Amino acid sequence: MTDPLSFLSGHAVQWGAVVLLMTGLYIVMTRGNLIKKVVGLNIVQTAVFLLYISIGYVEDGTAPIVLEGAARYSNPLPHVLILTAIVVSVATTSLALALIVRIREAYGSIEEDEIRERESD
Amino acid sequence: MNGLPDPGWLAAAAIATPLAGAVGILLARRRPNVREGVSLASGIVLFCVVALAAAALEAGERIRLTLAEPLTGLPLSLDVEPLGMLFALVASGLWVVTTVYSIGYMRAHRESDQTRFYAFFAISIASTMGVAFAGNMLTLFVFYEALTLATFPLVAHAGTPEARRGARTYLGVLLGTSIGLQLLAIAGTYAVAGTLDFTPGGVIDGEVGGVAAGALLALYVFGVGKAAIMPFHRWLPAAMVAPTPVSALLHAVAVVKAGAFAILKVAAFIFGFDLLRDLAMTDALLWCAAFTIVAASLVAMTKDNLKARLAYSTVSQLSYIVLAALLAGQAGFLGGGLHIATHAFGKITLFFCAGAILVAAHKTEVSQLDGLGRAMPVTMTAFAIGALSIVGLPPLGGILSKWLIVEGAIEADRAVLVAVLGLSTLLNIVYLLPIPVRAFLRAPPEGAAPGVREAPLPCLAAIAFTTLGCFALFLFSDPLIGLLEGPSGASP
Amino acid sequence: MSLVQHLPALQVAVPLLAAPLCAMMVRPRIAWLFATLAAWATFAVSLAIFHRVLDRGLILYEMGGWAPPLGIGHAVDPLNALLLVLVSGMAAIVMPAARPGVGVEVAPRAQRLFFTLALLALTGMLGIAITGDAFNLYVFLEVSSLASYALVATGADRRATTAAFNYLVQGTIGAMFILIGIGLIYMMTGTLNMADMAVRLREARDTAPVQAALAFIVVGAGIKFAVFPAHVWMPNAYTYAPSLVSAFFGATATKVGAYILIRFIFNVFGVDFAFGEMRIGWALIPLGLAGAFVGSLVAIWQDDLKRMLAYSSVAQVGYIAAAIGYANRDGLIAAIVHVFNHGLMKGALFLVMACVILRLGKADMRSFRGLGRRMPVTMGCFVVAGLSMIGVPFTVGFISKWYLVVGALDAGLWPVAALVVLSSLLAIVYIWRVVETAYFREADGPRTREAPAMLLAPTLLLTVLCVAFGVATEFTVGVAGSAADMLGVLP
């Protein structure tokens, strides 16, 4: 833990999750296109999935299926949890897309600045 | 006292009677005569209830009652003590008189929404009774706020932009000071003392240091906006847009005296005189009160509008009571308490007259009153007597309380404050007496509309009653002083 | 096993099963009737649970008989029992009003889906409140949130769709933060049961993941709870949602966020860690007060009164956040009591808006002119609930404010107490300008009359409760007190 380099390399998956999280948040905040916002949101969610899956990792562990000769198994619980979260994220995405369809019907655009312009009309 | 129910219920009945009256008034909204009958009847019943309670108190009974306990350890409770009894007697007695006056005034003036007027008037009186009989600071605060809210529709009565503006100032200052400062002071008191009960000798002595106690005192004195210490006095002139009976009873008696009364209670029963005398903040606040007395008198001199002049006079007179409370001595406390009664009778007379002039002659400015004494001799004589009572001339009530307050100032070794009171008396003469003098001695202006007569009979009756009251207070003051010094004693 | 023991399961199961059934009912009237009955049944269940909690202190329920480390348990103590009563009670009060209220704002063929969504949102909120499992909490959070996004989008104004979209984006980020926090705690403790987490965190709390977990959960719950400056989703969502949705959410949705915050800070992480080491009081109190001022100030300038109420919610949420930040018993009582009390008054005020919109089509300052005469009962409710918002004695608002101020003084935070009362003065301004307009300005709009009884009665009921619980406080303050004791805050 004390050596910065090993701290970085030892937590490579977590760092990956952090990078994805930041990328996703950046996209959500800076993009005006609503579809791109949803994509950003998906990246945020993926980052969280990755984090959870990394929690379940056990050194030298195999898939949690009873096999002969396997002594260590990965923790299956986080994987199961994240399956639920993936379902939720699919639901969120579909709801978001449905809303975007409605927004396009109402405003004729899915660009945030154009919508704001038309709102003031 | 045998034959009477538990005296605690008398206090509750004093609050319930006007509320029941308000319901009756609403029910009888289609019949003006019945409505005003109900209003008058509840006034009389209320006065009887309060008088019964006074008799019980005189007999040494303890009148107390817990209404509810919304906050653990902090009940809403009533506990009648002599000072509150005096305030309740004055307010309930004058409500009867004011109702008589209102009947004449409102009809002659053809005001709209009279049902709303009478109903909220009754609710205001119920709140006033609550303030008078409150057993702890929280209860007092609760009814104090109720009084503010119940009087709002009365101030905004006319519904004109001007009335709305006045009412907004009224509500803004009163709610602003009470929630912004007073509530903080109350919560602070509770935090340091663990109780808010009115206790002779105070509850916070020895609980906090001088600076914190001083800060609390300042929060109370300015937080009780109804006592109209400058700079929180603006609401009172603003409230003058209300119909005159409201200005007379509420803004010369009930509302403003609720403020002065609250300060007396806080000084005597939350802080205690011993603590007050030690606080540096007391000095500073005494100067604020003294400044208000003089400054408000000076402003009053510049006002041509009769009601505005009277309002500033009230601001000035209220500070007498605040000053008396802060003097932290027996004589001052007694004087402050009596001033509630004496100023009430004097000022209500003046307002009644102002209303009578408005109704009969349609005049609102002092400069229009030349020669009016010939057309309205009764009214203007009463005005002169009321003014003299405020100034403090025997044989009128005003001198009594003023004398005691001066005595309190001498007792406390404060020569400058004595001088301030003297100066204020001179200023009183300067801004009040020219009005009757003008009316009687100057000739009416050319082309004045002839045919101005006295106001309607109910108005005149009310004026006569309160004018006589000014004399009575002087001549028969012993029972009042006896009440204040009575067996259970106001001596804190 | 008798039925009584399964109450915690029923609490969530009743609305959850009712929702799909409701979707099958084609006739709006039947769907509404069914949803109302379901809401009432849910309310009855939560009252029964509440009663049992008062008797026993804590109810643990093992779903399907699996004991907590393996299975998912429900745990009810006074804190969530009170929240259950608030959420299901608001649903039981608002749902009957939905028939006339929603009729004008939602197309008839969509109404059954509207009621389905409402039941799902109810399910989610109750689930959050009752569950003892952290991941389960996240799932229920998403159930209620997804239903809420859709409900907001049913508003008649086209801006409802953009409001719902922004709500979705920000809500999802908040939920993701909470999920990350839960994952980090799981990483350090190996459990998802919140009671177990609390025990095991005592050893592991000096580690970076736990500290990060606290930060993620506070921020995530803060977004759901609409703490300034994460409140941006709220004003538009409440303004353009159908009024009854605003009434229900205004009273409950942010409160669930407050619950998550309280539960995690006080139960899972513990006061010493959260306040002693991490000093989140330094974040909650300033942000809470800033929210109180900004929300109230912005509310003053709003012409659309639903938006005004939404900004007022920003302010009220600020008070709750600040009260949590005091980290003492009175502060926690203030927070819990205000969660409940603000629910009552904001619910009443939004229902008033529903009445006005039903009759006049919109709720701006102009349509309120002279309304005191034309809709006297409705405006009477507004005045009483508004006075409660200001914090006048004899109303629930006063009780909350009292504990807010006393709690601050107890914590030695004089300036905070002063700022609380100062900001509450702003409430006078935004409430009173409406009252003045309604009573002292002449009407210039079309003639109108009171809203139908179905809508008026719930409004009146909530208003009466605003006063009743302002006088008889044994229920709210007493329960909040025992909840605070169970959360282990020193007096």
Side-chain angles (χ1 to χ4, degrees), chain B residues 70-71 74 76 113 116 138 141-142 145 149 152 156 159 164 168 171 175-176 179-180 184 186-188, chain C residues 373 387 390 392-394 398-399 402-403 405 409 417-418 421 424-425 428 432 436 440-441 470-471 473:
Chain B
L71 299 165
L74 271 179
L76 282 185
D113 300 298
R116 183 176 75 192
L138 181 75
F141 176 73
V142 165
E145 292 294 63
L149 294 172
F152 174 81
R164 280 209 306 277
R168 217 176 289 152
L171 196 78
L175 274 188
I179 294 184
L184 200 58
I186 294 173
Chain C
R373 244 174 250 278
L387 288 177
I390 295 171
V392 168
F394 282 127
F398 175 70
I399 306 295
W402 175 262
Y403 279 100
V405 173
L409 293 179
V421 290
S424 70
L425 295 181
I428 301 178
W432 214 260
E436 203 188 275
F440 297 101
R441 291 200 71 157
V471 178
T473 57

Side-chain angles (χ1 to χ4, degrees), chain C residues 6 10 38 55 76 146 264 279 292 328 352 367 407 434:
Chain C
H6 288 294
L10 282 176
D55 269 0
V76 191
L146 285 170
F264 271 95
R279 302 190 177 280
N328 58 17
V352 167
S367 48
V434 181

Side-chain angles (χ1 to χ4, degrees), chain B residues 180 220 431 434:
Chain B
Y220 272 118
Y431 67 76

Side-chain angles (χ1 to χ4, degrees), chain B residues 331-357:
Chain B
F333 184 76
L334 201 58
L338 267 186
H339 205 63
I340 288 182
T342 53
H343 174 250
F345 274 86
K347 195 48 75 61
I348 203 171
T349 308
L350 296 185
F351 269 111
F352 279 169
C353 294
I357 293 167

